[in-house]
């Protein structure tokens, strides 16, 4: 079964087309990328109106009844909220009402006062519903439309077109899931106009269903119990797609389950849509926080309820889902994150380390890990499903922040699986993406193991592309991939590894420095390429022109003196540096000025060339010097019997000696097998050794494809040539 249009409401295409046509009527007052400012809150307004309009008079009457002429009230606000909400639905728990006496139909009865009445209508909503329109900043758009004399016409067209096409946005007809599809389609179209990334707002629903199915796959028995309570969290919740799909999945096999849905979102528009979705479903929207999950230091209070830090600091969750923005800088959050990391270390959310500033994906992963329920404390654990691009799998050198974060996850046995998805699955990008599954409640068979799943061929082509999205998962594909995970077996598309298989030592392999020396004319000429020599004739003075000239003259004289002294040496080729220094040092000391260490180094650099037949250069203690140009690195696999976690600090220095002692025989064996047969004079500089972790999933599923036979290729080229010749002949 297809997951695209066939699962959407029959009116989906008609609604999208109608709304888009109405949006085009805003042209002039708005540019196409700005249409969303009007259309998205208008859709939410129509959703609320479909629920409330038939109760308009009853709600207004109750409110008026509560207001005494002397300013007192019959009911306190809490009780009034309850009574007004009960008018909408006896069993309704979340406050949703409007006391203005208006609805969309009545607004159109008074075109002369449309602005004032519409604002009054919006201000008449219950607190959370009004906050949703505040986040849309809808009143600004109302004023803008009114000034352009378009407000009444836009509202009239919107309501009229719905009626004339026999369409409705009522939750009784268009479910919240279907509304999710509608919002996603419209946001994608709006973003295309602005050349923006739609992926900042949502993930394809079939990808979410796959994440949800896998996250719950091993817990069905527990989750099927009567009265079980489950808390779900998305730290980048966008319009709420992951929360709504996880709720749908859980209630699909247990109607009696109690759910707490939590999230945080920094985009005001996405936040508003998410809260509207929950409010319509009669679920607590207060659990969705408007703010920056990672944190912003010294954030300005704009009076819009923005929370510049983790909005659920003390909460822990059973399941977590997220699609953090791909490859997005975290400069805005940098000061806050670094301060938390420096002050609290592993008592912070980011104890394992910080990634590079150009991608904050792994910061969100660490944040989610900090929200896990702990089996030793809570008697239960948590599971995380998060979608990344390829970067978190391997980006970052050994010992880097990214590598250490992977190390922390794998060492502590939290990574259950990584699933490679097909390309062209997302609306805003055609790149390959990967689902990470993490848990601190691994089943016995998964302990100490990581499952890699290659699902890149599990897709079908869409009948019609949506942006960069050309591929989709069918329900069968979702079921098949979920089964691969649940079976936890070695197959063509599923491979099982020990945690240690993703660890390696990055060793630095040195080779000795071998140089010859000669004071010949060509090499003396190279002195001018050496910075320390060239700077002799440059003055450090800025304004004193006389002093500058004196400094430059003195420097030029010294340069010439050095050249003359070196030219006085014979052009014997020395293959031993010490032997050459016995000739050079007296020559330099004979000059009437001192040759400092940087200048002497520059002279030796100019007069030397690498020579594999020369003697090895040694330092003052007789130790071999390494040739930086011949320096190389090798990755030594971690032995499978190495116990995790390692007794090594995340600074890659603490207790490194202990680790090197334990693994020295492995390093030596690697050198004997892989390096020394080719370069017998090489050695390992242990001081530069680093521990690294990466997840090279593509390498593990790589299948060699032999090149085609040359005769076949030649035949194809000849055939193409003949075809071209024939085509050209037909043009004459």
């Amino acid at each position: 079964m297809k997951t695209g249009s066939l699962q959407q409401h029959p009116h989906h295409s008609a609604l999208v087309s109608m709304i888009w046509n109405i949006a085009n009527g805003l042209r002039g007052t708005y540019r196409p990328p700005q249409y969303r400012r009007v259309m998205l809150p208008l859709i939410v307004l129509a959703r609320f109106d479909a629920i409330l309009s038939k109760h308009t008079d009853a709600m207004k009457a109750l409110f008026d009844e509560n207001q005494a002429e002397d300013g007192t009230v019959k009911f306190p606000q809490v009780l009034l909220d309850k009574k007004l909400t009960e008018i909408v639905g006896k069993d309704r728990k979340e406050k949703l009402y409007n006391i203005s006496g208006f609805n969309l139909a009545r607004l159109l009865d008074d075109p002369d006062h449309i602005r004032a009445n519409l604002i009054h209508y919006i201000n008449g909503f219950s607190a959370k519903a009004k906050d949703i329109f505040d986040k849309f900043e809808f009143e600004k758009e109302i004023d803008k439309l009114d000034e352009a004399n378009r407000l009444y016409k836009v509202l009239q067209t919107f309501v009229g077109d719905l009626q004339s096409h026999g369409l409705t946005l009522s939750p009784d007809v268009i479910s919240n899931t279907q509304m999710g599809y509608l919002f996603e389609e419209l946001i994608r179209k709006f973003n295309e106009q602005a050349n923006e990334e739609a992926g900042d707002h949502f993930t394809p629903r079939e990808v979410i269903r796959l994440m949800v199915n896998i996250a719950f796959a091993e817990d069905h028995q527990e989750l099927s119990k009567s009265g079980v309570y489950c808390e779900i969290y998305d730290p980048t919740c966008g319009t709420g797609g992951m929360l709504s799909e996880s709720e749908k999945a859980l209630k699909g096999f247990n109607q009696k389950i109690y759910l707490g849905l939590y999230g945080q979102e920094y985009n005001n528009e996405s936040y508003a849509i998410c809260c509207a979705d929950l409010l319509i479903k009669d679920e607590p929207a207060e659990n969705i926080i408007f703010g920056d999950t990672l944190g912003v230091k010294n954030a300005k209070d704009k009076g819009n309820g923005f929370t510049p830090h983790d909005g659920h600091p003390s909460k822990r969750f059973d399941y977590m889902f997220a699609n953090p923005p791909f490859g997005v800088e975290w400069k805005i959050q940098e000061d806050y994150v670094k301060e938390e990391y420096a002050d609290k270390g592993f008592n912070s959310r980011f104890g394992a380390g910080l990634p590079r500033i150009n991608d904050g994906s792994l910061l969100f992963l660490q944040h989610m890990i900090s929200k896990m329920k702990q089996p030793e404390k809570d008697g239960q654990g948590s599971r995380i499903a998060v979608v990344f691009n390829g970067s978190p799998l391997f980006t970052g050198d050994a010992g880097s922040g990214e590598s250490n974060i992977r190390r922390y996850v794998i060492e502590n046995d939290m990574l259950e699986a990584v699933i490679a998805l097909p390309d062209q699955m997302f609306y805003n990008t055609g790149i390959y993406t990967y689902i990470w599954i993490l848990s601190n409640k691994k089943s016995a068979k998964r302990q100490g193991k990581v499952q890699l799943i290659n699902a890149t061929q599990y897709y079908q082509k869409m009948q019609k592309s949506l942006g960069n999205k050309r591929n989709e998962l069918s329900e069968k594909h979702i079921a098949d991939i979920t089964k691969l995970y649940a079976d936890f077996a070695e197959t063509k598309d599923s491979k099982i590894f020990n945690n240690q298989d993703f660890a390696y030592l990055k060793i630095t392999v040195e080779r000795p420095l071998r140089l010859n020396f000669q004071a010949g004319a060509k090499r003396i000429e190279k002195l001018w390429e050496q910075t320390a020599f060239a700077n002799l004739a440059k003055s450090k003075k800025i304004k004193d022109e006389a002093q500058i000239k004196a400094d430059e003259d003195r420097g030029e004289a010294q340069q010439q003196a050095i050249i003359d002294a070196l030219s006085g040496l014979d052009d014997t080729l020395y293959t031993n540096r010490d032997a050459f220094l016995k000739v050079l040092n007296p020559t330099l000391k004979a000059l009437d000025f001192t040759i400092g260490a940087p200048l002497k180094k520059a002279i030796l650099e100019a007069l030397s060339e690498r020579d594999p037949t020369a003697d090895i250069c040694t330092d003052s203690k007789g130790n071999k010097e390494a040739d930086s140009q011949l320096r190389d690195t090798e990755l030594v696999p971690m032995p499978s019997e190495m116990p995790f976690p390692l007794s090594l600090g995340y600074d890659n220095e603490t207790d490194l000696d202990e680790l090197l002692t334990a693994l020295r025989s492995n390093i030596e064996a690697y050198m004997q097998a892989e390096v020394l047969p080719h370069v017998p004079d090489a050695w390992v500089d242990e001081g530069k050794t680093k521990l690294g972790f990466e997840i090279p999933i593509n390498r593990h599923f790589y299948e060699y494809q032999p090149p085609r036979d040359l005769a076949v290729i030649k035949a194809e080229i000849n055939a193409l040539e003949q075809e071209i010749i024939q085509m050209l002949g037909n043009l004459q």
Side-chain angles (χ1 to χ4, degrees):
M1 178 180 179
K2 284 200 177 276
T3 61
S5 59
L6 292 182
Q7 286 198 352
Q8 295 168 349
H9 193 275
H11 294 163
H12 175 84
S13 297
L15 277 168
V16 171
S17 179
M18 186 206 77
I19 292 169
W20 190 250
N21 287 336
I22 296 171
N24 279 324
L26 299 170
R27 190 180 296 272
T29 306
Y30 293 87
R31 294 181 292 107
Q34 299 171 328
Y35 293 168
R36 61 195 301 156
R37 298 178 185 177
V38 174
M39 300 312 299
L40 294 180
L42 201 55
I43 292 169
V44 172
L45 186 64
R47 281 289 269 179
F48 286 157
D49 191 77
I51 298 171
L52 301 177
S53 60
K54 60 185 175 184
H55 308 292
T56 299
D57 292 332
M59 292 183 294
K60 179 71 165 81
L62 178 62
F63 177 76
D64 290 343
E65 180 189 340
N66 194 54
Q67 312 300 308
E69 292 183 1
D70 61 358
T72 60
V73 294
K74 184 177 181 180
F75 305 119
Q77 189 62 46
V78 173
L79 183 56
L80 181 62
D81 286 340
K82 184 174 184 296
K83 287 182 173 294
L84 285 166
T85 301
E86 285 177 348
I87 292 174
V88 180
K90 289 290 184 184
D91 298 325
R92 186 171 185 86
K93 299 182 287 296
E94 299 300 314
K95 294 179 286 211
L96 180 62
Y97 57 79
N98 191 291
I99 57 170
S100 70
F102 286 106
N103 52 44
L104 286 179
R106 289 182 181 177
L107 288 171
L108 296 176
D109 292 338
D110 188 4
D112 294 338
H113 301 94
I114 185 65
R115 176 192 172 277
N117 291 343
L118 180 54
I119 290 175
H120 185 55
Y121 178 38
I122 290 170
N123 288 334
F125 278 105
S126 48
K128 193 62 186 181
K130 184 180 180 304
D131 178 62
I132 288 168
F133 293 105
D134 289 342
K135 293 299 186 293
F136 278 125
E137 298 181 341
F138 193 37
E139 191 167 330
K140 288 184 181 179
E141 310 311 323
I142 292 172
D143 287 339
K144 187 173 180 177
L145 286 168
D146 188 58
E147 289 173 7
N149 293 314
R150 291 193 176 189
L151 179 59
Y152 183 82
K153 183 63 176 177
V154 168
L155 198 62
Q156 184 188 48
T157 303
F158 183 76
V159 175
D161 281 7
L162 281 172
Q163 292 175 347
S164 65
H165 288 84
L167 301 174
T168 179
L169 294 175
S170 169
D172 294 335
V173 178
I174 307 292
S175 71
N176 284 62
T177 298
Q178 299 302 330
M179 276 308 300
Y181 286 119
L182 180 66
F183 276 123
E184 291 169 7
E185 176 80 357
L186 290 170
I187 290 171
R188 181 190 63 79
K189 290 176 73 72
F190 292 139
N191 283 341
E192 283 181 351
Q193 297 294 317
N195 197 28
E196 294 177 356
E197 293 191 352
D200 285 350
H201 298 278
F202 56 88
T203 310
R205 291 298 173 108
E206 79 267 25
V207 174
I208 300 175
R209 287 201 297 278
L210 174 62
M211 296 168 68
V212 167
N213 282 8
I214 289 175
F216 300 148
E218 295 193 347
D219 299 338
H220 276 206
Q221 185 175 353
E222 185 67 27
L223 293 171
S224 297
K225 294 179 179 178
S226 179
V228 66
Y229 179 64
C230 182
E231 293 180 308
I232 300 171
Y233 173 60
D234 182 350
T236 58
C237 65
T239 58
M242 292 197 179
L243 295 175
S244 61
E245 285 294 338
S246 59
E247 177 186 40
K248 180 181 176 183
L250 288 174
K251 289 191 173 180
F253 61 82
N254 185 359
Q255 282 289 332
K256 296 183 178 180
I257 194 169
Y258 295 96
L259 294 177
L261 303 180
Y262 298 80
Q264 188 156 345
E265 174 57 35
Y266 73 95
N267 179 277
N268 58 336
E269 180 185 89
S270 299
Y271 167 82
I273 294 172
C274 181
C275 288
D277 175 75
L278 290 170
L279 199 54
I280 288 168
K281 291 190 295 187
D282 196 21
E283 295 175 0
E286 285 74 18
N287 292 338
I288 308 301
I289 304 298
F290 175 51
D292 194 303
T293 301
L294 297 180
V296 180
K297 191 176 180 181
N298 300 322
K300 293 181 180 178
D301 186 0
K302 297 181 179 180
N304 60 356
F306 185 84
T307 302
H309 52 75
D310 177 14
H312 303 286
S314 60
K315 287 290 295 182
R316 301 293 182 268
F317 304 97
D318 299 286
Y319 298 93
M320 287 170 269
F321 303 92
N323 173 22
F326 298 161
V328 175
E329 290 186 342
W330 50 282
K331 282 188 177 181
I332 295 173
Q333 299 85 6
E334 181 179 9
D335 290 343
Y336 189 101
V337 170
K338 285 186 173 180
E339 185 174 288
E340 181 178 336
Y341 172 72
D343 291 348
K344 299 180 180 179
F346 271 97
N347 290 321
S348 76
R349 295 172 293 168
F350 313 114
L354 306 178
R356 289 173 295 178
I357 200 70
N358 61 356
D359 189 352
S361 299
L362 289 174
L363 290 176
F364 285 101
L365 181 65
Q366 288 192 90
H367 168 80
M368 295 167 79
I369 290 171
S370 75
K371 299 292 187 183
M372 283 179 148
K373 293 183 175 180
Q374 300 302 316
E376 62 273 15
K377 295 180 181 179
D378 309 306
Q380 57 189 322
S382 303
R383 184 166 286 110
I384 295 170
V386 57
V387 60
F388 290 137
N389 63 2
S391 180
L393 293 168
F394 55 81
T395 300
D397 195 9
S400 67
E402 293 95 337
S403 177
N404 281 341
I405 295 166
R406 290 190 291 269
R407 174 190 162 195
Y408 178 76
V409 169
I410 294 171
E411 265 191 356
N412 289 280
D413 200 20
M414 287 187 280
L415 186 60
E416 284 194 340
V418 177
I419 302 155
L421 296 178
D423 63 348
Q424 303 179 72
M425 287 292 297
F426 283 69
Y427 303 96
N428 66 307
T429 180
I431 64 173
Y432 286 98
T433 51
Y434 304 83
I435 298 172
W436 290 37
I437 307 297
L438 284 78
S439 176
N440 60 356
K441 57 175 184 179
K442 281 189 175 183
S443 60
K445 66 182 181 182
R446 292 185 179 273
Q447 290 175 11
K449 307 287 185 181
V450 176
Q451 182 181 17
L452 301 184
I453 296 174
N454 178 24
T456 57
Q457 301 304 311
Y458 290 67
Y459 70 92
Q460 62 190 19
K461 287 290 181 183
M462 298 177 63
Q463 293 181 349
K464 182 180 179 182
S465 298
L466 296 175
N468 289 310
K469 182 172 173 59
R470 299 177 178 87
N471 299 328
E472 63 181 358
L473 303 175
S474 70
E475 294 300 328
K476 185 177 186 308
H477 293 136
I478 294 173
D480 289 344
I481 299 168
T482 304
K483 188 174 186 302
L484 283 174
Y485 166 82
D487 289 347
F488 193 66
E490 288 274 350
T491 70
K492 176 177 70 70
D493 295 323
S494 169
K495 296 186 178 183
I496 314 295
F497 297 88
N498 294 322
N499 287 340
Q500 289 83 351
D501 294 334
F502 303 102
Y504 63 89
L505 288 178
K506 182 180 179 180
I507 62 172
T508 299
V509 179
E510 303 282 15
R511 294 180 63 187
L513 180 63
R514 298 177 185 267
L515 301 171
N516 66 42
F517 300 85
Q518 187 179 41
K522 288 184 178 180
R523 297 193 185 186
I524 292 173
E525 186 65 25
K526 291 181 179 179
L527 273 173
W528 298 103
E529 300 172 8
Q530 299 295 319
T531 302
F533 183 80
N535 286 345
L536 283 174
K538 295 180 181 179
S539 177
K540 296 181 180 180
K541 306 297 182 183
I542 301 175
K543 298 181 180 180
D544 191 336
E545 293 185 4
Q547 186 61 55
I548 292 173
K549 182 65 166 62
D551 289 346
E552 290 176 348
D553 290 345
R554 182 171 61 255
E556 289 174 359
Q558 291 178 347
Q559 288 174 331
Q560 190 59 50
I562 293 171
I563 290 173
D564 291 343
L566 295 176
S567 300
L569 299 174
D570 61 50
D571 60 356
T572 301
L573 185 69
Y574 293 85
T575 58
N576 183 285
R577 186 171 64 184
D578 291 337
F580 180 67
L581 287 173
K582 288 179 180 180
V583 176
L584 179 66
N585 286 339
T587 302
L588 298 180
K589 285 182 180 181
L591 298 170
D592 59 0
F593 56 91
T594 302
I595 302 292
L599 182 55
K600 185 176 180 180
K601 183 179 179 181
I603 293 170
L604 285 171
E605 181 70 25
L607 302 182
S608 66
E609 288 183 356
R610 281 168 170 78
D611 183 353
T613 65
D615 295 340
I616 296 173
C617 297
T618 58
D619 60 20
S620 59
K621 296 181 180 180
N623 299 316
K624 293 185 292 186
E625 291 185 27
D627 188 340
S628 60
Q629 293 188 11
L630 298 179
R631 182 172 295 141
D632 197 7
T633 57
E634 297 283 338
L635 305 184
V636 181
M638 183 72 66
S640 58
E641 66 275 8
M642 193 70 186
F644 278 172
L646 299 169
S647 58
L648 173 67
Y650 281 79
D651 56 5
N652 252 280
E653 296 176 1
T654 310
D655 300 323
L656 181 61
D657 289 343
E658 182 179 338
L659 181 64
L660 287 174
T661 300
L663 299 178
R664 187 165 284 116
S665 60
N666 297 82
I667 296 172
E668 291 174 353
Y670 183 90
M671 289 289 291
Q672 289 290 339
E674 304 293 338
V675 179
L676 295 180
H678 310 286
V679 282
D681 57 358
W683 73 93
V684 176
D685 185 346
E686 290 190 349
K688 294 186 176 72
T689 300
K690 293 181 179 180
L691 175 66
F693 279 73
E694 65 175 12
I695 308 169
I697 185 170
N698 295 333
R699 186 195 312 162
H700 290 302
F701 289 100
Y702 172 76
E703 293 183 3
Y704 173 72
Q705 299 292 331
R708 294 187 300 157
D709 189 89
L710 290 177
V712 175
I713 298 173
K714 184 179 179 180
E716 289 182 0
I717 294 173
N718 290 337
L720 286 170
E721 288 177 345
Q722 292 302 314
E723 186 178 341
I724 293 169
I725 291 171
Q726 185 177 355
M727 291 171 63
L728 292 173
N730 293 334
L731 293 175
Q732 296 178 353

